[in-house]
Amino acid sequence: MSFLKRARKEDLISLATDLGEKPAPTFSKIDLVSLIQGNKHYNEDDAKLMLETVVTEREERFKLEAERKETLKMAAEQERLKMAEERERLKMAAEQERLKMEIELEKLRMPSDGCTNPKHEKASCYVLTKTVPSFDSKNGDITLFLSLFERQAKRAQIDTKDWVSGLLMLLPSDIVQLIVRESDENFDNYNYIKSVLLKRFKLSPEEFRKKFLHHQKNSEKSWREYAFEISNYFQEWIEGLKIDSSEKLKNLIITDLIKRRAPFEAKDHFLDEWTRLVSPSELA
């Protein structure tokens, strides 16, 4: 009898039904136990086996229902991801189509000699495709590329709010897709997009410092080009650390010199802040 008292109410209802009874949902467990034991076919051993079968079937139904819900949930998630990917694809396709149309319109506006008329026409991003080489994400240096892009954009008098559009014309599709995913609020913000690209290529102030100190001249490039490259690395290094005065620059140079001569224990002591230290007093 104790096994009946330990059983769940829903299992007792099923057992009573299997015995030919008609238990009401309002019956208490005590009522159900009495109903089962009072059945003319009741036998304790048989009842135990029947109850075990009822429990097994209930657990199996629960398991199947849980699996069904999980399957539906996974299917819904896959559909959501599929729709999100499709939206991204359409968004990127629309942006690329817009850029393509802009290029075609620029071609129509240009006279036959290929020159624009800055006195009467707004400078177009299209001119950047002629002065800035497309970025090679595998072998290119994103820092130098962006620096060249900015110089040429300024020289061509491109409105800064159009810089991102010009940039997209020169980037490979995988990088364009990264940018297109940004919100509308950030999409036209060149400085924000620049930070996204630098983060994508994992370039921090410390990385720029290393490039500035260890960058080697390529035999195929001139000394002028080499000077431009290390100047750019230096500029990105100090801008990343917000060095905006001669005093801060002096402190940075002295601090960097101390760091290079400091024992390993000092670096270990300032482990988390080491690359962000810019004042000698912080190391003293």
Side-chain angles (χ1 to χ4, degrees):
M1 176 178 175
S2 60
F3 73 93
L4 292 175
K5 292 181 178 180
R6 292 195 301 270
R8 296 173 60 161
K9 180 179 177 179
E10 59 185 303
D11 294 335
L12 292 175
I13 291 176
S14 296
L15 176 58
T17 302
D18 290 345
L19 289 171
E21 301 291 347
K22 296 181 179 180
T26 56
F27 278 16
S28 67
K29 287 184 64 174
I30 295 176
D31 294 334
L32 290 168
V33 170
S34 298
L35 182 64
I36 292 169
Q37 289 180 325
N39 184 272
K40 62 182 180 179
H41 301 297
Y42 177 76
N43 176 279
E44 185 170 330
D45 292 335
D46 291 341
K48 282 184 179 180
L49 292 174
M50 292 177 69
L51 183 60
E52 289 176 1
T53 301
V54 167
V55 171
T56 300
E57 290 177 348
R58 173 178 55 77
E59 291 177 345
E60 185 64 26
R61 286 196 304 272
F62 179 81
K63 181 180 178 181
L64 291 173
E65 180 63 17
E67 290 177 350
R68 186 185 70 83
K69 289 182 178 179
E70 183 63 23
T71 300
L72 291 175
K73 182 180 178 181
M74 291 177 62
E77 179 64 14
Q78 289 177 349
E79 183 64 22
R80 186 189 69 80
L81 292 174
K82 182 179 179 181
M83 292 178 65
E85 290 177 359
E86 180 64 13
R87 285 196 298 270
E88 288 293 337
R89 187 189 69 78
L90 292 174
K91 184 178 179 181
M92 186 172 70
E95 179 61 21
Q96 290 179 332
E97 184 64 23
R98 184 184 70 79
L99 293 174
K100 181 179 178 181
M101 290 178 64
E102 183 176 325
I103 292 175
E104 293 301 321
L105 287 173
E106 176 62 21
K107 289 180 179 179
L108 293 174
R109 287 199 297 264
M110 292 176 63
S112 58
D113 60 0
C115 298
T116 57
N117 185 352
K119 293 183 179 180
H120 302 288
E121 297 183 7
K122 177 183 175 181
S124 169
C125 299
Y126 175 70
V127 298
L128 295 174
T129 62
K130 297 183 177 182
T131 58
V132 182
S134 297
F135 178 62
D136 182 352
S137 58
K138 292 184 178 179
N139 304 309
D141 187 317
I142 189 65
T143 311
L144 298 178
F145 168 76
L146 291 174
S147 179
L148 177 61
F149 172 82
E150 291 168 9
R151 291 178 66 179
Q152 294 298 339
K154 291 176 182 177
R155 183 173 297 175
Q157 298 182 337
I158 306 296
D159 194 320
T160 53
K161 69 181 181 63
D162 295 326
W163 281 19
V164 174
S165 296
L167 187 63
L168 293 178
M169 298 179 186
L170 303 167
L171 295 174
S173 59
D174 58 324
I175 305 300
V176 171
Q177 188 172 3
L178 175 71
I179 295 175
V180 169
R181 290 175 181 168
E182 295 296 331
S183 65
D184 293 339
E185 180 182 356
N186 293 323
F187 186 76
D188 291 325
N189 186 335
Y190 174 78
N191 288 329
Y192 175 81
I193 297 300
K194 178 180 178 180
S195 69
V196 170
L197 291 174
L198 292 178
K199 185 177 180 180
R200 163 68 173 76
F201 289 94
K202 299 180 180 178
L203 291 177
S204 63
E206 178 63 14
E207 290 300 317
F208 285 123
R209 184 190 74 85
K210 292 177 181 178
K211 284 178 175 288
F212 168 66
L213 293 175
H214 306 298
H215 185 56
Q216 299 294 319
K217 177 183 175 298
N218 189 315
S219 59
E220 298 178 356
K221 294 183 179 180
S222 66
W223 284 103
R224 183 176 181 179
E225 290 174 312
Y226 175 67
F228 167 76
E229 291 172 354
I230 59 175
S231 296
N232 187 71
Y233 292 142
F234 179 78
Q235 190 65 32
E236 293 291 346
W237 173 32
I238 63 175
E239 286 183 359
L241 293 174
K242 296 180 173 56
I243 305 300
D244 52 11
S245 69
S246 58
E247 182 66 21
K248 289 182 179 180
L249 180 59
K250 181 187 74 173
N251 287 335
L252 176 64
I253 294 173
I254 295 173
T255 302
D256 188 64
L257 185 61
I258 293 175
K259 285 180 181 179
R260 281 187 274 168
R261 297 180 180 178
F264 178 79
E265 292 77 9
K267 182 177 181 180
D268 190 52
H269 177 73
F270 293 101
L271 184 61
D272 295 331
E273 301 89 10
W274 185 255
T275 60
R276 297 192 294 272
L277 295 176
V278 295
S279 174
S281 61
E282 295 177 297
L283 289 170

